[in-house]
């Protein structure tokens, strides 16, 4: 008699290992698709907003039959755009399962289509060799143990509106579906939670489900929307690219127009240029871009989306080395854009221009050559003591983002220290600032200090938890006059140099477009390398204030 002992021992996969592919991939496809595509409305939210009666929304399951859906074509579109992974809505807030689940009749299996779409998507991703993950909404507005369905939306969704007695039943249901998603489809690389805001992590038992998922799928990544930021593998800023330095991996999710689902009335499509700029900005910030498509009711992708994905793919054919496997440059190297680093190369992504000779500072390692990606043109490099000057011929500019590859003589070394200029003044410009912020809230736009190229200023001073920071060299002990160039105004700006902090009154200028210099009282500075930090002196909106530069001038 042969006894076969089977035991699954899940080997812990440490964060640094399991996130490596994600950090290198940089770019993925988000897919929001369900019965709602038949009405051309947003996923789930029309229910909550009482725009569509529940009976009418849920009746969509009776007609959903995407006969033209071809998972391989969808995945090919993603691969051709340069996307390395795909996140698919297995279940949105409406509770409709796009997979064959034994725990609910409200699923794709009970539609005229009657086939497991999640299975098809996973198979196509595995066949194409890209990673695959499931968007899964914790909140389930269909399930009678989650929501008091006797109440009209938006009532009935909150914990306090529903008796505790059914909550355990719902958790059994929710965990059952998660277990199905983690055991029926082979290797899964991401669980992209959403919909956590109507309960707490304790009520969701997020720690338990996080552990269950990791035991069933060793190496899987889980985002922060089960409300456990500290154990999440990545943060999820939504519809924006954070500008500050982040404390953990992050992935910006974004739509091409403004709707996650298929919406033929939403014509606010971002151009391919804007989408590529967002890709460069996410890579330049050390994050990923998850760009969304919402398939039509027949399963195909609308032309406005496919044409833009083609445009991104064309750019990626010539520029992917400046995206995949790169890290963000630790120092702002030039004013016109962002920089990525890979091996002994630095890539300058021009989000604006380049119109005139470009000044590159903060790079210690000698540059051997400068080449424009795509055209292959070698461009001349002007070298000065602590900076480089490059000029990109107009004909070499890319219609989306021009990237100049600097080939270095060795390992990239950066110099964050701003030195006094030829006149001895220490000038700290907006574009050289490091922007620091609190943890980005995954959904609501946590207004950060951001750098606005058009004003060439630091704007959005709306949260005193954010600050701008420079590292500079103070040549000698003594008194220095502090000057700032700014527009608009703010009642007080806190300036910290080393360990001393002073409040700078910044009277409002009479015109937020012009800017003016303001010389303040002097401060005593000690010689050596100093960190200069600036933050709003109070909370509240200061959308009128734009800081262009701070400078220190020695007073003999
Ligand atoms: C969430 C979903 O609601 C949305 O449909 C989409 O799936 C997106 C990726 O994730 O977006 C949210 C969630 C919560 C809020 C706003 C957008 N909220 O609480 O304001």
């Amino acid at each position: 008699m042969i006894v076969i002992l089977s035991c699954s021992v899940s080997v812990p996969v440490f964060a640094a290992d399991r996130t490596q592919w994600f950090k290198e991939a940089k770019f993925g496809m988000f897919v929001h698709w369900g019965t709602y595509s038949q009405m051309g409305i947003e996923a789930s939210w029309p229910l909550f907003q009482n725009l569509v009666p529940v009976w009418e929304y849920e009746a969509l399951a009776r007609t959903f039959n995407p006969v033209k859906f071809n998972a391989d074509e969808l995945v090919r579109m993603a691969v051709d755009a340069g996307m390395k992974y795909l996140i698919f809505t297995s279940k949105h807030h409406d509770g409709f399962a796009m997979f064959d689940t034994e725990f609910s009749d409200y699923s794709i299996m009970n539609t005229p289509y009657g086939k497991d779409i999640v299975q098809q998507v996973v198979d196509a991703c595995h066949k194409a060799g890209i990673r695959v993950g499931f968007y899964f909404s914790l909140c389930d507005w269909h399930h009678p143990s989650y929501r008091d369905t006797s109440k009209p939306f938006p009532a009935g969704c909150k914990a306090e509106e529903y008796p505790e007695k059914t909550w355990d039943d719902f958790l059994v249901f929710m965990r059952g579906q998660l277990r199905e998603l983690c055991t029926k489809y082979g290797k899964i690389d991401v669980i992209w939670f959403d919909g956590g805001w109507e309960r707490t992590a304790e009520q969701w038992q997020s720690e338990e489900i996080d552990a269950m998922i990791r035991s069933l799928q060793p190496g899987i990544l889980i985002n922060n929307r089960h409300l456990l930021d500290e154990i999440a593998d990545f943060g999820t800023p939504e519809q924006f690219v954070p500008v500050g330095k982040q404390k953990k991996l992050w992935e910006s999710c974004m739509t091409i127009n403004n709707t996650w689902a298929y919406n033929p009335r939403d014509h606010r499509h971002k151009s391919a240029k804007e989408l590529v700029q967002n890709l460069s900005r996410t890579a330049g910030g050390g994050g990923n871009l998850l760009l969304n498509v919402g398939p039509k009711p027949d399963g195909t992708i609308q032309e406005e989306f496919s044409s833009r994905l083609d445009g991104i793919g064309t750019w990626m054919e010539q520029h992917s080395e400046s995206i995949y496997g790169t890290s963000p440059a630790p120092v702002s190297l030039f004013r016109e854009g962002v920089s990525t680093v890979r091996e002994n190369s630095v890539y300058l992504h021009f989000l604006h221009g380049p119109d005139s000779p470009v000044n590159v500072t903060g790079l210690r390692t000698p540059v051997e050559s400068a080449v424009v990606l795509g055209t292959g043109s070698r461009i001349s490099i002007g070298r000065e003591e602590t900076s480089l000057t490059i000029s990109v011929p107009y004909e070499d500019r890319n219609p989306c983002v021009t990237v100049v590859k600097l080939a270095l003589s060795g390992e990239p070394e950066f110099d964050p220290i701003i030195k006094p200029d030829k006149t001895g003044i220490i000038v700290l410009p907006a574009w050289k600032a490091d922007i620091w912020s609190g943890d980005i809230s995954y959904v609501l736009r946590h207004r950060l200090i951001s750098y606005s190229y058009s004003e060439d200023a630091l704007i959005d001073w709306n949260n005193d938890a954010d600050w701008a920071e420079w590292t500079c060299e103070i040549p000698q002990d003594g008194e220095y006059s502090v000057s700032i160039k700014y527009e608009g105004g703010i009642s007080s700006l806190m300036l910290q140099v080393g360990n001393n902090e002073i409040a700078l009154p910044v009277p409002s200028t009479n015109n937020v477009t012009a800017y003016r210099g303001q010389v303040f009282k002097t401060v005593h500075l000690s010689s050596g390398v100093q960190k200069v930090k600036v933050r709003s002196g109070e909370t509240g909106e200061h959308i009128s204030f734009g800081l262009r530069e701070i400078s220190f001038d020695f007073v003999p």
Side-chain angles (χ1 to χ4, degrees), residues 30 32 43 45 92-93 135 192 194 197 225 238 253 260 443-444:
F30 211 171
H32 276 69
W45 286 98
H92 205 262
H93 316 328
Y135 168 110
W192 210 98
D194 194 22
W197 64 87
R225 294 197 177 186
E238 182 171 321
C253 55
W260 293 102
V443 173
L444 303 181

Side-chain angles (χ1 to χ4, degrees), residues 428-450:
L428 310 180
W431 66 272
K432 265 285 194 193
D434 280 339
I435 296 168
W436 289 90
S437 62
D439 284 338
I440 34 179
S441 65
Y442 65 71
V443 173
L444 303 181
R445 184 182 172 90
H446 171 70
R447 296 292 295 271
L448 305 171
I449 299 176
S450 57

Side-chain angles (χ1 to χ4, degrees), residues 255-489:
T255 51
I256 291 178
N257 49 12
N258 276 10
T259 316
W260 293 102
Y262 168 65
N263 179 352
R265 291 173 297 281
D266 181 351
H267 303 292
R268 294 160 294 181
H269 302 292
K270 301 172 186 70
S271 65
K273 173 173 183 171
E274 191 180 351
L275 295 168
V276 170
Q277 286 178 327
N278 283 332
L279 181 57
S280 285
R281 289 167 63 220
T282 44
N288 286 21
L289 176 63
L290 188 65
L291 186 61
N292 182 76
V293 296
K296 296 163 70 172
D298 67 359
T300 61
I301 299 296
Q302 67 193 83
E303 192 280 330
E304 297 87 348
F305 289 0
S306 56
S307 60
R308 282 158 176 80
L309 291 175
D310 286 345
I312 298 169
T314 302
W315 185 85
M316 283 294 272
E317 280 166 10
Q318 300 176 327
H319 298 83
S320 63
E321 68 175 278
S322 68
I323 300 287
Y324 296 142
T326 63
S327 303
V331 172
S332 295
L333 294 175
F334 70 121
R335 176 175 164 274
E336 293 80 354
V338 295
S339 308
T340 55
V341 183
R342 193 160 69 95
E343 294 165 0
N344 290 353
S345 297
V346 167
Y347 299 91
L348 307 178
H349 298 246
F350 284 86
L351 301 178
H352 305 275
D355 298 316
S356 55
V358 175
N359 191 31
V360 179
T361 60
L363 182 55
R364 271 210 193 98
T365 316
V367 176
E368 290 182 335
S369 66
V371 170
V372 182
L373 292 190
T375 66
S377 299
R378 288 176 74 97
I379 55 177
S380 61
I381 305 170
R383 288 178 174 79
E384 295 175 24
E385 192 182 328
T386 59
S387 66
L388 304 172
T389 305
I390 57 173
S391 297
V392 178
Y394 189 81
E395 59 273 14
D396 283 307
R397 289 175 57 173
N398 184 282
C400 288
V401 171
T402 304
V403 177
V404 171
K405 176 180 182 178
L406 303 178
L408 309 184
S409 63
E411 185 126 352
E413 284 184 22
F414 300 92
D415 182 2
I417 302 171
I418 298 171
K419 312 280 193 312
D421 67 14
K422 295 188 177 71
T423 65
I425 297 176
I426 300 122
V427 179
L428 310 180
W431 66 272
K432 265 285 194 193
D434 280 339
I435 296 168
W436 289 90
S437 62
D439 284 338
I440 34 179
S441 65
Y442 65 71
V443 173
L444 303 181
R445 184 182 172 90
H446 171 70
R447 296 292 295 271
L448 305 171
I449 299 176
S450 57
Y451 174 62
S452 158
Y453 177 77
S454 52
E455 290 98 351
D456 197 1
L458 292 170
I459 58 175
D460 293 342
W461 294 76
N462 301 301
N463 187 316
D464 57 359
D466 301 343
W467 75 90
E469 179 179 298
W470 296 262
T471 305
C472 62
E473 182 184 281
I474 304 298
Q476 56 185 312
D477 283 9
E479 293 301 310
Y480 287 76
S481 66
V482 182
S483 300
I484 66 170
K485 287 183 179 175
Y486 70 99
E487 58 245 350

